[in-house]
Amino acid sequence: MVTRADDEIRGTRTMQAEADIVLNTAADPSQEAAWLPDWLRDCELDLNADERTLRWVRDDEPQGFLAAQPRGAGSSEVEMVTYQDVAGIDAVQAALGALEAAVAEKLTAG
């Protein structure tokens, strides 16, 4: 589900992978092109593994946020927030779908 409020777009998706795997995939620079929207690719990435969060920052201004939280049975709830309506709701929804596909590919590759 993806929603818009002011300049913030917030999306959530349940993924069939542990939260740490989702977070590691999202933070992996080699996976960036597979899922991360263009407007976040030139940002500085701030990873907080303890809280299972990523923040994208440009010129000291937050541009986006991702959190992956365990939901049991090897699944996780992933939330992505962007602070600029650059490409709209569809782009955030597509990014979450692409991240889920990248995670699934990583799991099948072993």
Side-chain angles (χ1 to χ4, degrees):
M1 177 176 173
V2 179
T3 60
R4 178 194 319 259
D6 299 322
D7 287 338
E8 179 180 287
I9 297 175
R10 181 177 301 266
T12 58
R13 181 178 286 234
T14 300
M15 297 189 188
Q16 297 306 310
E18 297 201 13
D20 290 336
I21 293 170
V22 173
L23 188 67
N24 289 339
T25 303
D28 183 349
S30 71
Q31 295 294 320
E32 194 175 88
W35 80 275
L36 191 64
D38 292 342
W39 74 92
L40 293 175
R41 289 186 189 162
D42 65 344
C43 293
E44 180 181 328
L45 182 64
D46 179 22
L47 167 67
N48 184 325
D50 292 335
E51 293 181 10
R52 294 186 179 98
T53 61
L54 297 173
R55 285 183 333 125
W56 292 278
V57 179
R58 183 182 303 118
D59 299 326
D60 295 324
E61 292 291 323
Q63 302 296 308
F65 174 85
L66 184 129
Q69 299 304 316
R71 290 295 176 240
S75 68
S76 56
E77 183 77 17
V78 180
E79 177 181 41
M80 182 174 182
V81 178
T82 62
Y83 301 116
Q84 292 184 337
D85 186 4
V86 176
I89 288 174
D90 291 342
V92 172
Q93 191 165 349
L96 286 169
L99 176 58
E100 184 174 31
V103 168
E105 185 176 314
K106 190 174 201 173
L107 288 173
T108 12

